[in-house]
Amino acid sequence: KKRPSSHRRERCNSPMIPMSRAVSKPPVSLAYRDLEEIPADWAGKYSGYITALDLSHNRMTNLRSLATFKNLHTLVLDHNGITSHARLPYLPNLQTLWLNHNEISNLSIFIENLAASCPRLVHLSLMNNAAAPSYFNGGTKQQYQDFRLFVISYFPTLSILDDAPVSAEERVESQRVYSRRRSMSRVASP
């Protein structure tokens, strides 16, 4: 039986369309809006209710406007021009993050910041960034495997990286290789 339209949860396709006060189930899309940041008045009203947000195909490089979105579980930031030095605010509930087709070129800087901001990531996609070598952007198989191990070493809850599941073997190898390197670099630092 169909519910009357007045009881359907509204999807916020525009910052001007009000959204019901229930937690969002379908993703709220602000994609293709040429946004540099989320409008502050809109974020103030709705950030506490949104669990899935699509900000793809915008011009967002400063991610501070996401600070009030503490209930986010899913965030899509594909095609935004995000660089290695971009910092996400602390998002304790974020589990799925897509950052495909951005300008992330320094993996260690980006991943260290990301691990501190999003400690519970389960799904992460960084495809078509310079820091994520693959067959599609001229990377070798060995570079891709090293990339995977490095990223996995920072996220104990990660189960899918890019388009492939994280295997138990990758998890063990990532800890063997990269936790030792991190502890050695801490000893060498004054």
Side-chain angles (χ1 to χ4, degrees), residues 3-4 9 13 31 34 49 55-56 77 79 83 86 91 94 108 118 127 131-132 134 149 156-157 164 167 172 189:
R3 287 198 235 174
R9 183 172 292 130
N13 290 322
D34 205 32
Y49 305 102
L55 292 166
S56 58
L77 288 165
H79 296 274
T83 67
L91 298 171
L94 194 65
S108 61
C118 307
M127 293 188 284
S134 73
L149 294 177
T157 56
S167 70
V172 169
S189 298

Side-chain angles (χ1 to χ4, degrees), residues 14-28:
S14 165
M16 301 304 164
I17 298 173
M19 190 172 87
S20 69
R21 292 291 180 182
V23 173
S24 70
K25 293 231 175 169
V28 172

Side-chain angles (χ1 to χ4, degrees), residues 30-104:
L30 294 177
Y32 295 95
R33 305 239 176 193
D34 205 32
L35 296 173
E36 291 182 13
E37 62 182 28
I38 298 170
D41 59 336
W42 188 85
K45 279 184 190 176
Y46 304 116
S47 63
Y49 305 102
I50 295 173
T51 59
L53 182 59
D54 182 353
L55 292 166
S56 58
H57 295 273
N58 281 297
R59 294 182 300 131
M60 298 187 69
T61 56
N62 181 338
L63 305 173
R64 286 181 291 191
S65 61
L66 292 166
T68 58
F69 289 80
K70 298 296 183 195
N71 293 318
L72 269 184
H73 287 241
T74 301
L75 178 59
V76 179
L77 288 165
D78 295 350
H79 296 274
N80 266 289
I82 294 167
T83 67
S84 305
H85 295 284
R87 288 181 177 245
L88 277 164
Y90 184 63
L91 298 171
N93 297 309
L94 194 65
Q95 295 178 4
T96 300
L97 178 60
W98 288 2
L99 288 155
N100 304 304
H101 299 274
N102 278 288
E103 296 175 21
I104 301 164

Side-chain angles (χ1 to χ4, degrees), residues 39 120 182:
R120 294 185 177 164
R182 278 198 296 272

